[in-house]
Amino acid sequence: MSENFTALQVNRNEDKTFTRRIVQRNSDDLPTGELLVRVQYSSLNYKDALSASGHPGVTRNFPHTPGIDAAGLVVSCSDGRFQPGDQVIVTSYDLGMETDGGFGQLIRVPSAWAVALPDGLSLKQSMIFGTAGLTAALSVTALVDSGLTPDQGPVLVTGATGGVGSLAVTVLTRAGFQVTAATGKNSETDYLKCLGATNVISREEVTANSERPMLKPLWSGVVDCVGGTMLEAAIKACRYDGVVTCCGLVGSADLNLNVFPFILRGVRLIGIDSAECPMPRRLHAWQYLAENKDAKLLEQLSEEISLEGLEEKIQAMLKGQVKRRVVVRL
């Protein structure tokens, strides 16, 4: 049965500009898929702001509804994987890119994209985490599953004021790790300590003497969200048997590094991908978030808006003026 619903829609104009407006759509217009979900919450990510602006690296086909994150209630599932009323999370894959996403009250996707909401996590909390939280959790669980324990020493988080970095700080702290947060924003020291960071250092402190083949061993583990020189220096400063995860390239996509940290200290480098992450690993990460969340801190980290509030936040995000996680109530 078809149903009307409200959504943010991005249109490409004849002069190749893009406009955004809230419209009424019909469920018959949604893409094919086994799973129809009534979205309760979504979240605003930088990729959503790019999609909403017509960035061809994210979305090429218009009209389009962005939103790479969605959480809500199952309306129907033709293959029986879920039952009506089940609470589910949908992130990654093609959601919000070429497939109409979470900035609409209904989405239709392959059922294989969805994760059952873990016990102990609300739909809203799942969207405070969103793709950024999933990426943070994949990074942290990679460290933990590699044998890293809190008694082995401090863990470095680079790009710590970003979405992934800030959530990695909170999750690591909640799990008992001593966290050193690295940032280029000196004004955010109090904010990072509020998240749980024991120490806050500058980017320059991380990259000092990075041209050397090896650096003084400091970190038992690293969650790197920057790449480039920051990642190079972090690897060189790992302690013996250290573990480093890499999920970002804002610094650079290049890695100019020798093999000394790997063959003299046994350092391990693990790449993190949340887009096509296998389902068992994805489920493990969401369960880890449910078990290591700080509900009060999550509320402090986020602000809730309606669809009508998205325009202002999209503009602010493109200007780098959004710090807290933006949760969209559908």
Side-chain angles (χ1 to χ4, degrees):
M1 180 180 296
S2 64
E3 179 180 346
N4 291 329
F5 67 97
T6 304
L8 177 75
Q9 190 173 76
V10 183
N11 290 278
R12 179 166 48 203
N13 305 314
E14 291 185 3
D15 61 359
K16 297 184 180 181
T17 61
F18 294 84
T19 54
R20 297 175 287 271
R21 60 193 181 99
I22 297 173
V23 301
Q24 289 295 304
R25 300 190 61 194
N26 188 274
S27 57
D28 288 344
D29 299 329
L30 290 171
T32 59
E34 302 87 9
L35 184 66
L36 183 66
V37 178
R38 191 176 309 282
V39 180
Q40 304 291 304
Y41 292 97
S42 183
S43 66
L44 177 63
N45 302 276
Y46 189 68
K47 185 177 285 187
D48 298 319
L50 292 178
S51 176
S53 305
H55 194 291
V58 181
T59 304
R60 292 181 179 273
N61 298 310
F62 297 88
H64 174 68
T65 295
I68 65 171
D69 295 335
L73 306 177
V74 172
V75 176
S76 62
C77 184
S78 62
D79 64 2
R81 188 187 295 257
F82 297 98
Q83 298 302 312
D86 285 352
Q87 299 184 94
V88 295
I89 305 166
V90 185
T91 66
S92 316
Y93 306 104
D94 189 52
L95 185 71
M97 298 175 69
E98 298 295 357
T99 300
D100 287 324
F103 294 166
Q105 292 174 328
L106 289 175
I107 58 171
R108 184 182 286 119
V109 296
S111 62
W113 290 8
V115 172
L117 183 74
D119 291 339
L121 200 64
S122 71
L123 289 171
K124 180 179 178 180
Q125 288 170 341
S126 75
M127 290 295 94
I128 297 175
F129 282 122
T131 294
L134 174 61
T135 305
L138 289 169
S139 301
V140 175
T141 54
L143 299 183
V144 173
D145 294 345
S146 295
L148 190 67
T149 56
D151 61 345
Q152 292 176 313
V155 175
L156 174 69
V157 177
T158 68
T161 57
V164 177
S166 60
L167 291 169
V169 171
T170 66
V171 174
L172 283 164
T173 300
R174 188 74 173 176
F177 287 91
Q178 179 184 345
V179 179
T180 295
T183 179
K185 301 175 181 178
N186 296 331
S187 61
E188 300 299 335
T189 295
D190 291 342
Y191 169 69
L192 289 168
K193 288 189 174 180
C194 177
L195 298 184
T198 304
N199 297 302
V200 179
I201 62 177
S202 68
R203 291 182 298 204
E204 290 73 22
E205 289 177 82
V206 177
T207 59
N209 301 313
S210 61
E211 71 281 358
R212 295 178 180 176
M214 296 275 276
L215 297 174
K216 179 182 178 181
L218 297 172
W219 321 118
S220 64
V222 178
V223 174
D224 176 68
C225 307
V226 178
T229 304
M230 288 280 279
L231 177 57
E232 296 163 17
I235 291 171
K236 292 176 181 180
C238 266
R239 297 180 177 183
Y240 190 86
D241 215 22
V243 187
V244 180
T245 64
C246 168
C247 66
L249 46 70
V250 65
S252 173
D254 295 327
L255 189 62
N256 299 311
L257 194 66
N258 60 65
V259 299
F260 293 152
F262 305 110
I263 64 175
L264 297 181
R265 291 183 184 162
V267 174
R268 287 159 288 172
L269 176 61
I270 302 173
I272 301 297
D273 166 57
S274 62
E276 300 290 338
C277 174
M279 188 54 70
R281 199 179 306 161
R282 187 181 297 268
L283 291 169
H284 178 44
W286 279 113
Q287 187 60 47
Y288 195 84
L289 288 175
E291 294 171 357
N292 292 280
K293 72 178 187 300
D294 184 326
K296 183 178 180 180
L297 187 57
L298 281 178
E299 286 296 326
Q300 295 173 350
L301 270 173
S302 64
E303 60 178 311
E304 183 179 309
I305 65 170
S306 65
L307 275 179
E308 289 74 15
L310 264 173
E311 180 62 33
E312 178 183 351
K313 289 299 179 182
I314 288 171
Q315 295 290 347
M317 180 160 281
L318 291 171
K319 296 175 183 176
Q321 297 173 348
V322 174
K323 181 170 72 174
R324 293 194 293 174
R325 290 284 294 161
V326 177
V327 177
V328 184
R329 182 184 68 255
L330 275 298

mmCIF file with all atom_site columns, all heavy atoms in Angstrom, residues 179-201:
data_model
loop_
_atom_site.group_PDB
_atom_site.id
_atom_site.type_symbol
_atom_site.label_atom_id
_atom_site.label_alt_id
_atom_site.label_comp_id
_atom_site.label_asym_id
_atom_site.label_entity_id
_atom_site.label_seq_id
_atom_site.pdbx_PDB_ins_code
_atom_site.Cartn_x
_atom_site.Cartn_y
_atom_site.Cartn_z
_atom_site.occupancy
_atom_site.B_iso_or_equiv
_atom_site.pdbx_formal_charge
_atom_site.auth_seq_id
_atom_site.auth_comp_id
_atom_site.auth_asym_id
_atom_site.auth_atom_id
_atom_site.pdbx_PDB_model_num
ATOM 1   N N   . VAL A 1 179 ? 43.394 8.165  27.410 1.00 0.00 ? 179 VAL A N   1
ATOM 2   C CA  . VAL A 1 179 ? 43.376 8.728  26.061 1.00 0.00 ? 179 VAL A CA  1
ATOM 3   C C   . VAL A 1 179 ? 44.135 10.044 26.001 1.00 0.00 ? 179 VAL A C   1
ATOM 4   O O   . VAL A 1 179 ? 43.923 10.946 26.822 1.00 0.00 ? 179 VAL A O   1
ATOM 5   C CB  . VAL A 1 179 ? 41.926 8.952  25.590 1.00 0.00 ? 179 VAL A CB  1
ATOM 6   C CG1 . VAL A 1 179 ? 41.906 9.558  24.185 1.00 0.00 ? 179 VAL A CG1 1
ATOM 7   C CG2 . VAL A 1 179 ? 41.142 7.648  25.619 1.00 0.00 ? 179 VAL A CG2 1
ATOM 8   N N   . THR A 1 180 ? 45.017 10.154 25.010 1.00 0.00 ? 180 THR A N   1
ATOM 9   C CA  . THR A 1 180 ? 45.641 11.419 24.659 1.00 0.00 ? 180 THR A CA  1
ATOM 10  C C   . THR A 1 180 ? 45.008 11.898 23.360 1.00 0.00 ? 180 THR A C   1
ATOM 11  O O   . THR A 1 180 ? 45.036 11.189 22.357 1.00 0.00 ? 180 THR A O   1
ATOM 12  C CB  . THR A 1 180 ? 47.158 11.269 24.482 1.00 0.00 ? 180 THR A CB  1
ATOM 13  O OG1 . THR A 1 180 ? 47.758 10.924 25.733 1.00 0.00 ? 180 THR A OG1 1
ATOM 14  C CG2 . THR A 1 180 ? 47.774 12.581 23.997 1.00 0.00 ? 180 THR A CG2 1
ATOM 15  N N   . ALA A 1 181 ? 44.408 13.077 23.405 1.00 0.00 ? 181 ALA A N   1
ATOM 16  C CA  . ALA A 1 181 ? 43.709 13.627 22.237 1.00 0.00 ? 181 ALA A CA  1
ATOM 17  C C   . ALA A 1 181 ? 44.599 14.648 21.553 1.00 0.00 ? 181 ALA A C   1
ATOM 18  O O   . ALA A 1 181 ? 45.108 15.570 22.192 1.00 0.00 ? 181 ALA A O   1
ATOM 19  C CB  . ALA A 1 181 ? 42.396 14.275 22.669 1.00 0.00 ? 181 ALA A CB  1
ATOM 20  N N   . ALA A 1 182 ? 44.777 14.491 20.238 1.00 0.00 ? 182 ALA A N   1
ATOM 21  C CA  . ALA A 1 182 ? 45.567 15.434 19.454 1.00 0.00 ? 182 ALA A CA  1
ATOM 22  C C   . ALA A 1 182 ? 44.632 16.270 18.587 1.00 0.00 ? 182 ALA A C   1
ATOM 23  O O   . ALA A 1 182 ? 43.745 15.734 17.918 1.00 0.00 ? 182 ALA A O   1
ATOM 24  C CB  . ALA A 1 182 ? 46.569 14.700 18.574 1.00 0.00 ? 182 ALA A CB  1
ATOM 25  N N   . THR A 1 183 ? 44.834 17.581 18.603 1.00 0.00 ? 183 THR A N   1
ATOM 26  C CA  . THR A 1 183 ? 43.963 18.471 17.846 1.00 0.00 ? 183 THR A CA  1
ATOM 27  C C   . THR A 1 183 ? 44.729 19.703 17.392 1.00 0.00 ? 183 THR A C   1
ATOM 28  O O   . THR A 1 183 ? 45.723 20.094 18.000 1.00 0.00 ? 183 THR A O   1
ATOM 29  C CB  . THR A 1 183 ? 42.753 18.910 18.707 1.00 0.00 ? 183 THR A CB  1
ATOM 30  O OG1 . THR A 1 183 ? 41.929 19.794 17.953 1.00 0.00 ? 183 THR A OG1 1
ATOM 31  C CG2 . THR A 1 183 ? 43.211 19.608 19.977 1.00 0.00 ? 183 THR A CG2 1
ATOM 32  N N   . GLY A 1 184 ? 44.245 20.305 16.322 1.00 0.00 ? 184 GLY A N   1
ATOM 33  C CA  . GLY A 1 184 ? 44.790 21.580 15.859 1.00 0.00 ? 184 GLY A CA  1
ATOM 34  C C   . GLY A 1 184 ? 44.031 22.756 16.429 1.00 0.00 ? 184 GLY A C   1
ATOM 35  O O   . GLY A 1 184 ? 44.334 23.911 16.092 1.00 0.00 ? 184 GLY A O   1
ATOM 36  N N   . LYS A 1 185 ? 43.044 22.490 17.278 1.00 0.00 ? 185 LYS A N   1
ATOM 37  C CA  . LYS A 1 185 ? 42.201 23.545 17.845 1.00 0.00 ? 185 LYS A CA  1
ATOM 38  C C   . LYS A 1 185 ? 42.500 23.674 19.328 1.00 0.00 ? 185 LYS A C   1
ATOM 39  O O   . LYS A 1 185 ? 41.909 22.996 20.173 1.00 0.00 ? 185 LYS A O   1
ATOM 40  C CB  . LYS A 1 185 ? 40.729 23.217 17.613 1.00 0.00 ? 185 LYS A CB  1
ATOM 41  C CG  . LYS A 1 185 ? 40.369 23.070 16.143 1.00 0.00 ? 185 LYS A CG  1
ATOM 42  C CD  . LYS A 1 185 ? 38.922 22.634 15.951 1.00 0.00 ? 185 LYS A CD  1
ATOM 43  C CE  . LYS A 1 185 ? 38.585 22.470 14.481 1.00 0.00 ? 185 LYS A CE  1
ATOM 44  N NZ  . LYS A 1 185 ? 37.191 21.992 14.272 1.00 0.00 ? 185 LYS A NZ  1
ATOM 45  N N   . ASN A 1 186 ? 43.416 24.578 19.672 1.00 0.00 ? 186 ASN A N   1
ATOM 46  C CA  . ASN A 1 186 ? 43.836 24.740 21.062 1.00 0.00 ? 186 ASN A CA  1
ATOM 47  C C   . ASN A 1 186 ? 42.694 25.168 21.973 1.00 0.00 ? 186 ASN A C   1
ATOM 48  O O   . ASN A 1 186 ? 42.717 24.909 23.180 1.00 0.00 ? 186 ASN A O   1
ATOM 49  C CB  . ASN A 1 186 ? 44.975 25.764 21.148 1.00 0.00 ? 186 ASN A CB  1
ATOM 50  C CG  . ASN A 1 186 ? 46.224 25.312 20.417 1.00 0.00 ? 186 ASN A CG  1
ATOM 51  O OD1 . ASN A 1 186 ? 46.477 24.114 20.306 1.00 0.00 ? 186 ASN A OD1 1
ATOM 52  N ND2 . ASN A 1 186 ? 47.003 26.245 19.905 1.00 0.00 ? 186 ASN A ND2 1
ATOM 53  N N   . SER A 1 187 ? 41.685 25.809 21.399 1.00 0.00 ? 187 SER A N   1
ATOM 54  C CA  . SER A 1 187 ? 40.563 26.283 22.197 1.00 0.00 ? 187 SER A CA  1
ATOM 55  C C   . SER A 1 187 ? 39.656 25.158 22.678 1.00 0.00 ? 187 SER A C   1
ATOM 56  O O   . SER A 1 187 ? 38.760 25.382 23.497 1.00 0.00 ? 187 SER A O   1
ATOM 57  C CB  . SER A 1 187 ? 39.735 27.286 21.389 1.00 0.00 ? 187 SER A CB  1
ATOM 58  O OG  . SER A 1 187 ? 39.216 26.669 20.214 1.00 0.00 ? 187 SER A OG  1
ATOM 59  N N   . GLU A 1 188 ? 39.861 23.938 22.155 1.00 0.00 ? 188 GLU A N   1
ATOM 60  C CA  . GLU A 1 188 ? 38.962 22.824 22.481 1.00 0.00 ? 188 GLU A CA  1
ATOM 61  C C   . GLU A 1 188 ? 39.502 21.910 23.570 1.00 0.00 ? 188 GLU A C   1
ATOM 62  O O   . GLU A 1 188 ? 38.986 20.813 23.772 1.00 0.00 ? 188 GLU A O   1
ATOM 63  C CB  . GLU A 1 188 ? 38.682 22.011 21.213 1.00 0.00 ? 188 GLU A CB  1
ATOM 64  C CG  . GLU A 1 188 ? 38.039 22.798 20.098 1.00 0.00 ? 188 GLU A CG  1
ATOM 65  C CD  . GLU A 1 188 ? 36.682 23.354 20.487 1.00 0.00 ? 188 GLU A CD  1
ATOM 66  O OE1 . GLU A 1 188 ? 36.039 22.783 21.385 1.00 0.00 ? 188 GLU A OE1 1
ATOM 67  O OE2 . GLU A 1 188 ? 36.272 24.377 19.894 1.00 0.00 ? 188 GLU A OE2 1
ATOM 68  N N   . THR A 1 189 ? 40.524 22.346 24.301 1.00 0.00 ? 189 THR A N   1
ATOM 69  C CA  . THR A 1 189 ? 41.112 21.498 25.340 1.00 0.00 ? 189 THR A CA  1
ATOM 70  C C   . THR A 1 189 ? 40.084 21.097 26.393 1.00 0.00 ? 189 THR A C   1
ATOM 71  O O   . THR A 1 189 ? 39.963 19.918 26.759 1.00 0.00 ? 189 THR A O   1
ATOM 72  C CB  . THR A 1 189 ? 42.293 22.214 26.011 1.00 0.00 ? 189 THR A CB  1
ATOM 73  O OG1 . THR A 1 189 ? 43.334 22.409 25.044 1.00 0.00 ? 189 THR A OG1 1
ATOM 74  C CG2 . THR A 1 189 ? 42.852 21.384 27.164 1.00 0.00 ? 189 THR A CG2 1
ATOM 75  N N   . ASP A 1 190 ? 39.328 22.060 26.899 1.00 0.00 ? 190 ASP A N   1
ATOM 76  C CA  . ASP A 1 190 ? 38.333 21.752 27.930 1.00 0.00 ? 190 ASP A CA  1
ATOM 77  C C   . ASP A 1 190 ? 37.270 20.804 27.394 1.00 0.00 ? 190 ASP A C   1
ATOM 78  O O   . ASP A 1 190 ? 36.811 19.904 28.114 1.00 0.00 ? 190 ASP A O   1
ATOM 79  C CB  . ASP A 1 190 ? 37.680 23.042 28.446 1.00 0.00 ? 190 ASP A CB  1
ATOM 80  C CG  . ASP A 1 190 ? 38.642 23.901 29.260 1.00 0.00 ? 190 ASP A CG  1
ATOM 81  O OD1 . ASP A 1 190 ? 39.675 23.356 29.714 1.00 0.00 ? 190 ASP A OD1 1
ATOM 82  O OD2 . ASP A 1 190 ? 38.367 25.095 29.434 1.00 0.00 ? 190 ASP A OD2 1
ATOM 83  N N   . TYR A 1 191 ? 36.872 21.009 26.148 1.00 0.00 ? 191 TYR A N   1
ATOM 84  C CA  . TYR A 1 191 ? 35.863 20.147 25.529 1.00 0.00 ? 191 TYR A CA  1
ATOM 85  C C   . TYR A 1 191 ? 36.365 18.713 25.460 1.00 0.00 ? 191 TYR A C   1
ATOM 86  O O   . TYR A 1 191 ? 35.639 17.764 25.822 1.00 0.00 ? 191 TYR A O   1
ATOM 87  C CB  . TYR A 1 191 ? 35.544 20.674 24.136 1.00 0.00 ? 191 TYR A CB  1
ATOM 88  C CG  . TYR A 1 191 ? 34.718 19.752 23.264 1.00 0.00 ? 191 TYR A CG  1
ATOM 89  C CD1 . TYR A 1 191 ? 33.386 19.504 23.552 1.00 0.00 ? 191 TYR A CD1 1
ATOM 90  C CD2 . TYR A 1 191 ? 35.283 19.135 22.142 1.00 0.00 ? 191 TYR A CD2 1
ATOM 91  C CE1 . TYR A 1 191 ? 32.623 18.663 22.742 1.00 0.00 ? 191 TYR A CE1 1
ATOM 92  C CE2 . TYR A 1 191 ? 34.527 18.297 21.331 1.00 0.00 ? 191 TYR A CE2 1
ATOM 93  C CZ  . TYR A 1 191 ? 33.201 18.066 21.638 1.00 0.00 ? 191 TYR A CZ  1
ATOM 94  O OH  . TYR A 1 191 ? 32.461 17.236 20.843 1.00 0.00 ? 191 TYR A OH  1
ATOM 95  N N   . LEU A 1 192 ? 37.610 18.510 25.036 1.00 0.00 ? 192 LEU A N   1
ATOM 96  C CA  . LEU A 1 192 ? 38.146 17.164 24.906 1.00 0.00 ? 192 LEU A CA  1
ATOM 97  C C   . LEU A 1 192 ? 38.324 16.499 26.260 1.00 0.00 ? 192 LEU A C   1
ATOM 98  O O   . LEU A 1 192 ? 38.108 15.287 26.411 1.00 0.00 ? 192 LEU A O   1
ATOM 99  C CB  . LEU A 1 192 ? 39.474 17.204 24.142 1.00 0.00 ? 192 LEU A CB  1
ATOM 100 C CG  . LEU A 1 192 ? 39.340 17.528 22.652 1.00 0.00 ? 192 LEU A CG  1
ATOM 101 C CD1 . LEU A 1 192 ? 40.691 17.830 22.032 1.00 0.00 ? 192 LEU A CD1 1
ATOM 102 C CD2 . LEU A 1 192 ? 38.665 16.369 21.911 1.00 0.00 ? 192 LEU A CD2 1
ATOM 103 N N   . LYS A 1 193 ? 38.680 17.264 27.268 1.00 0.00 ? 193 LYS A N   1
ATOM 104 C CA  . LYS A 1 193 ? 38.790 16.694 28.614 1.00 0.00 ? 193 LYS A CA  1
ATOM 105 C C   . LYS A 1 193 ? 37.416 16.341 29.164 1.00 0.00 ? 193 LYS A C   1
ATOM 106 O O   . LYS A 1 193 ? 37.260 15.368 29.911 1.00 0.00 ? 193 LYS A O   1
ATOM 107 C CB  . LYS A 1 193 ? 39.527 17.652 29.531 1.00 0.00 ? 193 LYS A CB  1
ATOM 108 C CG  . LYS A 1 193 ? 41.022 17.737 29.212 1.00 0.00 ? 193 LYS A CG  1
ATOM 109 C CD  . LYS A 1 193 ? 41.803 18.512 30.251 1.00 0.00 ? 193 LYS A CD  1
ATOM 110 C CE  . LYS A 1 193 ? 43.303 18.433 29.971 1.00 0.00 ? 193 LYS A CE  1
ATOM 111 N NZ  . LYS A 1 193 ? 44.101 19.182 30.965 1.00 0.00 ? 193 LYS A NZ  1
ATOM 112 N N   . CYS A 1 194 ? 36.400 17.109 28.774 1.00 0.00 ? 194 CYS A N   1
ATOM 113 C CA  . CYS A 1 194 ? 35.028 16.771 29.142 1.00 0.00 ? 194 CYS A CA  1
ATOM 114 C C   . CYS A 1 194 ? 34.616 15.438 28.532 1.00 0.00 ? 194 CYS A C   1
ATOM 115 O O   . CYS A 1 194 ? 33.872 14.662 29.144 1.00 0.00 ? 194 CYS A O   1
ATOM 116 C CB  . CYS A 1 194 ? 34.082 17.883 28.693 1.00 0.00 ? 194 CYS A CB  1
ATOM 117 S SG  . CYS A 1 194 ? 32.337 17.546 29.004 1.00 0.00 ? 194 CYS A SG  1
ATOM 118 N N   . LEU A 1 195 ? 35.122 15.141 27.340 1.00 0.00 ? 195 LEU A N   1
ATOM 119 C CA  . LEU A 1 195 ? 34.819 13.870 26.692 1.00 0.00 ? 195 LEU A CA  1
ATOM 120 C C   . LEU A 1 195 ? 35.529 12.703 27.362 1.00 0.00 ? 195 LEU A C   1
ATOM 121 O O   . LEU A 1 195 ? 35.157 11.549 27.137 1.00 0.00 ? 195 LEU A O   1
ATOM 122 C CB  . LEU A 1 195 ? 35.224 13.907 25.219 1.00 0.00 ? 195 LEU A CB  1
ATOM 123 C CG  . LEU A 1 195 ? 34.538 14.930 24.318 1.00 0.00 ? 195 LEU A CG  1
ATOM 124 C CD1 . LEU A 1 195 ? 35.004 14.747 22.877 1.00 0.00 ? 195 LEU A CD1 1
ATOM 125 C CD2 . LEU A 1 195 ? 33.034 14.808 24.394 1.00 0.00 ? 195 LEU A CD2 1
ATOM 126 N N   . GLY A 1 196 ? 36.565 13.011 28.156 1.00 0.00 ? 196 GLY A N   1
ATOM 127 C CA  . GLY A 1 196 ? 37.278 11.958 28.862 1.00 0.00 ? 196 GLY A CA  1
ATOM 128 C C   . GLY A 1 196 ? 38.767 11.890 28.604 1.00 0.00 ? 196 GLY A C   1
ATOM 129 O O   . GLY A 1 196 ? 39.464 11.058 29.196 1.00 0.00 ? 196 GLY A O   1
ATOM 130 N N   . ALA A 1 197 ? 39.289 12.739 27.705 1.00 0.00 ? 197 ALA A N   1
ATOM 131 C CA  . ALA A 1 197 ? 40.721 12.707 27.407 1.00 0.00 ? 197 ALA A CA  1
ATOM 132 C C   . ALA A 1 197 ? 41.539 13.058 28.651 1.00 0.00 ? 197 ALA A C   1
ATOM 133 O O   . ALA A 1 197 ? 41.243 14.033 29.344 1.00 0.00 ? 197 ALA A O   1
ATOM 134 C CB  . ALA A 1 197 ? 41.051 13.674 26.279 1.00 0.00 ? 197 ALA A CB  1
ATOM 135 N N   . THR A 1 198 ? 42.556 12.263 28.931 1.00 0.00 ? 198 THR A N   1
ATOM 136 C CA  . THR A 1 198 ? 43.457 12.536 30.052 1.00 0.00 ? 198 THR A CA  1
ATOM 137 C C   . THR A 1 198 ? 44.417 13.657 29.708 1.00 0.00 ? 198 THR A C   1
ATOM 138 O O   . THR A 1 198 ? 44.697 14.531 30.533 1.00 0.00 ? 198 THR A O   1
ATOM 139 C CB  . THR A 1 198 ? 44.254 11.266 30.401 1.00 0.00 ? 198 THR A CB  1
ATOM 140 O OG1 . THR A 1 198 ? 43.345 10.191 30.667 1.00 0.00 ? 198 THR A OG1 1
ATOM 141 C CG2 . THR A 1 198 ? 45.128 11.506 31.636 1.00 0.00 ? 198 THR A CG2 1
ATOM 142 N N   . ASN A 1 199 ? 44.904 13.637 28.472 1.00 0.00 ? 199 ASN A N   1
ATOM 143 C CA  . ASN A 1 199 ? 45.831 14.664 28.003 1.00 0.00 ? 199 ASN A CA  1
ATOM 144 C C   . ASN A 1 199 ? 45.363 15.180 26.637 1.00 0.00 ? 199 ASN A C   1
ATOM 145 O O   . ASN A 1 199 ? 44.791 14.431 25.839 1.00 0.00 ? 199 ASN A O   1
ATOM 146 C CB  . ASN A 1 199 ? 47.246 14.099 27.847 1.00 0.00 ? 199 ASN A CB  1
ATOM 147 C CG  . ASN A 1 199 ? 47.822 13.626 29.162 1.00 0.00 ? 199 ASN A CG  1
ATOM 148 O OD1 . ASN A 1 199 ? 47.925 14.393 30.110 1.00 0.00 ? 199 ASN A OD1 1
ATOM 149 N ND2 . ASN A 1 199 ? 48.182 12.354 29.231 1.00 0.00 ? 199 ASN A ND2 1
ATOM 150 N N   . VAL A 1 200 ? 45.641 16.449 26.388 1.00 0.00 ? 200 VAL A N   1
ATOM 151 C CA  . VAL A 1 200 ? 45.349 17.061 25.091 1.00 0.00 ? 200 VAL A CA  1
ATOM 152 C C   . VAL A 1 200 ? 46.639 17.683 24.581 1.00 0.00 ? 200 VAL A C   1
ATOM 153 O O   . VAL A 1 200 ? 47.271 18.476 25.288 1.00 0.00 ? 200 VAL A O   1
ATOM 154 C CB  . VAL A 1 200 ? 44.245 18.129 25.204 1.00 0.00 ? 200 VAL A CB  1
ATOM 155 C CG1 . VAL A 1 200 ? 43.988 18.758 23.834 1.00 0.00 ? 200 VAL A CG1 1
ATOM 156 C CG2 . VAL A 1 200 ? 42.960 17.522 25.759 1.00 0.00 ? 200 VAL A CG2 1
ATOM 157 N N   . ILE A 1 201 ? 47.032 17.318 23.366 1.00 0.00 ? 201 ILE A N   1
ATOM 158 C CA  . ILE A 1 201 ? 48.267 17.829 22.789 1.00 0.00 ? 201 ILE A CA  1
ATOM 159 C C   . ILE A 1 201 ? 47.975 18.403 21.401 1.00 0.00 ? 201 ILE A C   1
ATOM 160 O O   . ILE A 1 201 ? 46.945 18.117 20.802 1.00 0.00 ? 201 ILE A O   1
ATOM 161 C CB  . ILE A 1 201 ? 49.367 16.745 22.702 1.00 0.00 ? 201 ILE A CB  1
ATOM 162 C CG1 . ILE A 1 201 ? 48.914 15.596 21.795 1.00 0.00 ? 201 ILE A CG1 1
ATOM 163 C CG2 . ILE A 1 201 ? 49.722 16.238 24.089 1.00 0.00 ? 201 ILE A CG2 1
ATOM 164 C CD1 . ILE A 1 201 ? 49.993 14.516 21.601 1.00 0.00 ? 201 ILE A CD1 1
#
